[in-house]
């Protein structure tokens, strides 16, 4: 039997997801960064099918609009976004 979320629960979940964007709404660079991280996580998660993907915060990235995404039990991925924060390119990083 499939459960259906009530409208109140849906609104609460959407509200929580939007809170971080509201917190940086007055800073266009921070907003684009936040959206870029979310977009990269979604793109890598969709490509790999892995749950628990996360932005790597230990490896320095000096280029604008670039992120490193860790995949649990797998390789890291690089992600490039456009200036608005939309992921436009992802690639698995291979060591060798």
């Amino acid at each position: 039997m499939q459960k259906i979320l009530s409208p109140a629960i849906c609104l609460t979940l959407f509200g929580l997801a939007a809170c971080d964007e509201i917190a940086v709404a007055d800073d266009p660079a921070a907003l684009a960064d936040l959206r870029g991280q979310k977009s990269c996580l979604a793109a890598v998660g969709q490509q790999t099918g892995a749950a628990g993907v996360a932005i790597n915060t230990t490896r320095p990235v000096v280029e604008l609009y670039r992120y490193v995404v860790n995949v649990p039990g797998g390789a890291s991925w690089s992600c490039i976004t456009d200036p608005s924060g939309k992921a436009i390119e992802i690639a698995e990083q291979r060591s060798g």
Side-chain angles (χ1 to χ4, degrees):
M1 178 198 242
Q2 185 178 12
K3 291 186 178 182
I4 299 175
L5 293 176
S6 73
I9 292 173
C10 289
L11 287 175
T12 301
L13 293 175
F14 288 131
L16 290 174
C19 287
D20 50 356
E21 290 199 16
I22 292 170
V24 296
D26 292 337
D27 185 347
L31 185 58
D33 183 58
L34 178 64
R35 287 180 176 165
Q37 290 182 32
K38 287 180 176 182
S39 181
C40 286
L41 291 173
V44 172
Q46 181 179 19
Q47 179 67 30
T48 63
V53 296
I55 297 294
N56 183 314
T57 58
T58 60
R59 290 172 45 191
V61 178
V62 295
E63 296 92 353
L64 291 175
Y65 315 122
R66 292 181 186 256
Y67 303 90
V68 176
V69 179
N70 293 337
V71 176
S76 293
W77 287 66
S78 62
C79 177
I80 301 171
T81 67
D82 64 13
S84 68
K86 181 180 177 190
I88 57 173
E89 182 179 327
I90 60 171
E92 184 177 6
Q93 296 181 339
R94 300 176 191 244
S95 60

